[in-house]
Amino acid sequence: MYGFISFFRNFASLKIKSINMTTADKTIKTALISVFHKDGLEDLLAELHAGGVKFLSTGGTQHFIESLGYDCQTVESLTTYPSILGGRVKTLHPKVFGGILGRRDNEGDREQMQQYEIPEIDLVIVDLYPFEDTVASGASEQDIIEKIDIGGISLIRAAAKNFADVVIVPSKAEYGLLTDILRKKGAQTNLAERFMLAERAFGVSSHYDTAIHAWFAEKSSSRK
């Protein structure tokens, strides 16, 4: 884990130095928001709304956004599929992940996004199911398994991979970080900011998977 993060930081330094920071500025137009912890999200939503950012969400997060008086498009209206399998499948759809992973400077990607009516998603805000807290609470095995986030972790990795075009907020710890950026410059980010958030995102992803592996390893050992 630490070797990967070290590599990512070194690569970031080289990559950022090779790109003109002015041309790397990106405007946030559409944000996909899917979070477990909603406390602390209000200020970030207010800044995004002030910057004219369109909200896209599902379930409890959508209702929370609308309760603050903001319009919010449902993911279901984009994908034409409802949340299914008891909420296990919500955002796992090409119209969501295509909008995140599509490379804005790649002609082939742009053509396919137009062909399949895939909208660009410029910002992804995720806060994962609290797997470690659920384990620590002494919950049942089934409850613990249901707190293994699938869609959220996939959104984090997709947005972080496409840091050249997309901003990722991978946990509530980064709500304030992006809020500060927006207050200073409006709904815009530069490459250095996106790369920094991508690094944090892969750190969140790595920690989360490590915790899940540790739980499975312990259970596997006890069943032998």
Side-chain angles (χ1 to χ4, degrees):
M1 168 181 165
Y2 296 109
F4 172 78
I5 292 175
S6 177
F7 164 80
F8 198 77
R9 286 173 176 164
N10 291 336
F11 178 75
S13 178
L14 292 172
K15 185 73 174 177
I16 289 169
K17 288 177 182 177
S18 70
I19 298 177
N20 184 302
M21 296 306 294
T22 301
T23 60
D25 283 349
K26 297 285 183 178
T27 299
I28 301 170
K29 298 178 182 177
T30 300
L32 172 62
I33 309 168
S34 179
V35 301
F36 185 86
H37 291 105
K38 298 167 185 65
D39 51 305
L41 190 60
E42 294 94 332
D43 289 345
L44 178 52
L45 291 173
E47 292 298 327
L48 289 168
H49 177 71
V53 177
K54 176 183 174 182
F55 297 140
L56 178 65
S57 190
T58 186
T61 306
Q62 172 209 334
H63 296 316
F64 177 76
I65 293 170
E66 291 175 338
S67 75
L68 297 175
Y70 306 131
D71 291 333
C72 182
Q73 181 185 359
T74 64
V75 169
E76 291 88 343
S77 70
L78 173 63
T79 65
T80 71
Y81 276 84
S83 172
I84 61 174
L85 308 181
R88 282 187 166 197
V89 180
K90 300 175 186 175
T91 57
L92 295 166
H93 192 280
K95 283 201 171 183
V96 174
F97 281 84
I100 296 168
L101 286 164
R103 293 160 291 189
R104 299 350 182 215
D105 62 353
N106 183 294
E107 184 177 354
D109 284 9
R110 293 199 310 272
E111 288 176 354
Q112 287 191 320
M113 291 175 76
Q114 183 175 7
Q115 176 184 357
Y116 296 109
E117 299 180 335
I118 298 173
E120 293 180 355
I121 295 173
D122 312 297
L123 166 64
V124 176
I125 303 174
V126 175
D127 184 64
L128 298 170
Y129 292 162
F131 178 81
E132 290 178 281
D133 289 346
T134 304
V135 172
S137 73
S140 69
E141 183 172 303
Q142 186 57 44
D143 286 343
I144 290 170
I145 289 171
E146 289 307 316
K147 285 298 186 291
I148 298 175
D149 206 311
I150 303 301
I153 204 75
S154 301
L155 290 170
I156 286 175
R157 291 179 64 84
K161 176 174 181 173
N162 202 22
F163 65 87
D165 298 305
V166 179
V167 184
I168 175 63
V169 173
S171 75
K172 66 176 292 185
E174 285 75 37
Y175 292 174
L177 187 58
L178 182 58
T179 300
D180 289 343
I181 291 172
L182 297 173
R183 283 172 176 162
K184 292 175 183 175
K185 54 198 298 187
Q188 277 199 331
T189 62
N190 60 39
L191 181 63
E193 291 160 343
R194 294 192 299 278
F195 214 116
M196 174 268 295
L197 286 165
E199 178 202 330
R200 285 176 173 246
F202 283 117
V204 168
S205 172
S206 178
H207 178 88
Y208 197 74
D209 284 339
T210 297
I212 293 170
H213 172 258
W215 182 80
F216 270 88
E218 181 181 350
K219 284 292 181 180
S220 179
S221 176
S222 67
R223 290 179 178 181
K224 291 179 180 177

